[in-house]
Amino acid sequence: MIDRAITMIEALIHQYGSWGVFVAAITEEVLAPIPSGIVMMSSGYAFLAGEAVSVANLLYLVIHVALPLCIGLTIGSLLVYGLTYKYGEVIIKKFGKYIGLHWSDVMRLHNKFDKTHKDELTLLILRSLPILPSVAINAVAGMVRMPLRPYIVATLAGTFIRALAVSFIGWQVGNVYKKYADIVDRFEKIGLALLLGLPIAFVIYRKFKSSK
């Protein structure tokens, strides 16, 4: 899976340059099975393999890799955000009972958001962490109906930090970036499994406690 994804991404980058990075970022965000570290590391390596660290090369990395990545990832994230924003209530009311999640729980979480820059800062920090699965962040932000403008601003800023850091690693580690991308993917899968597993574990615990 990873080798095929890398081959596709490298072909896009070599053929279309920064536009290829942009398209690959959107594809990665829409197609959750593609590990997020793959596009970022591949892009950094494809553009600057073998180049020394310098101010000019760092600026090149920002313009041709980090910016296209953060813009593409932000646009791609709007699909899941939009779907959960519009249909989250219907989905939770229909299927939430199977995992013990009710729309009232989501609304309580929604009411905890104070609609200030604190919410944007929280989202920015979550976005900048490379081990958190972005699809889960997109879904939660849409579910609690975070306003679109602060969502976009925080997502752009957070993914820019993440893209710059991870693409820099891809540039520096050379051909072994495949190994590192696999590690990032593994941590993302663990994070996603925890996010999905915790509500189920809570339901089991609650039923066990009530049976006592």
Side-chain angles (χ1 to χ4, degrees):
M1 171 68 183
I2 289 180
D3 288 339
R4 288 198 300 271
I6 288 174
T7 300
M8 179 194 73
I9 293 162
E10 288 179 340
L12 276 172
I13 293 170
H14 286 305
Q15 186 170 358
Y16 300 107
S18 298
W19 284 107
V21 175
F22 172 74
V23 172
I26 295 177
T27 304
E28 170 211 306
E29 194 69 12
V30 173
L31 301 178
I34 298 179
S36 66
I38 292 291
V39 175
M40 296 178 187
M41 287 190 175
S42 298
S43 301
Y45 177 74
F47 275 95
L48 290 162
E51 297 290 335
V53 177
S54 66
V55 174
N57 283 335
L58 286 172
L59 185 60
Y60 189 89
L61 187 72
V62 168
I63 295 172
H64 294 281
V65 178
L67 285 177
L69 278 172
C70 76
I71 295 171
L73 291 171
T74 300
I75 292 174
S77 75
L78 291 174
L79 175 63
V80 173
Y81 167 84
L83 287 174
T84 54
Y85 190 103
K86 187 170 183 179
Y87 301 109
E89 183 176 359
V90 175
I91 294 171
I92 293 299
K93 286 182 176 179
K94 189 169 184 178
F95 301 106
K97 59 184 178 181
Y98 298 110
I99 59 172
L101 181 64
H102 304 283
W103 184 246
S104 57
D105 301 325
V106 177
M107 291 309 298
R108 276 195 293 271
L109 179 61
H110 169 76
N111 294 333
K112 287 183 179 180
F113 281 75
D114 52 16
K115 308 299 186 297
T116 65
H117 292 303
K118 181 180 175 182
D119 297 337
E120 297 173 47
L121 181 60
T122 300
L123 179 59
L124 188 154
I125 293 171
L126 292 175
R127 287 289 189 197
S128 63
L129 299 176
I131 62 173
L132 292 179
S134 59
V135 65
I137 299 174
N138 305 339
V140 172
M143 199 80 70
V144 300
R145 294 178 175 170
M146 184 176 187
L148 181 61
R149 184 175 177 179
Y151 171 83
I152 290 176
V153 171
T155 299
L156 278 170
T159 52
F160 175 78
I161 295 171
R162 180 176 182 169
L164 185 60
V166 178
S167 61
F168 180 84
I169 293 172
W171 167 22
Q172 292 301 303
V173 300
N175 281 324
V176 297
Y177 74 87
K178 295 180 183 180
K179 173 185 175 182
Y180 287 87
D182 187 46
I183 292 172
V184 172
D185 175 43
R186 201 172 305 146
F187 275 107
E188 282 196 350
K189 286 179 179 176
I190 292 172
L192 185 58
L194 287 173
L195 286 172
L196 294 176
L198 284 176
I200 297 174
F202 176 74
V203 172
I204 295 173
Y205 167 77
R206 192 168 62 181
K207 288 186 175 180
F208 177 78
K209 189 176 180 180
S210 63
S211 66
K212 286 286 186 178

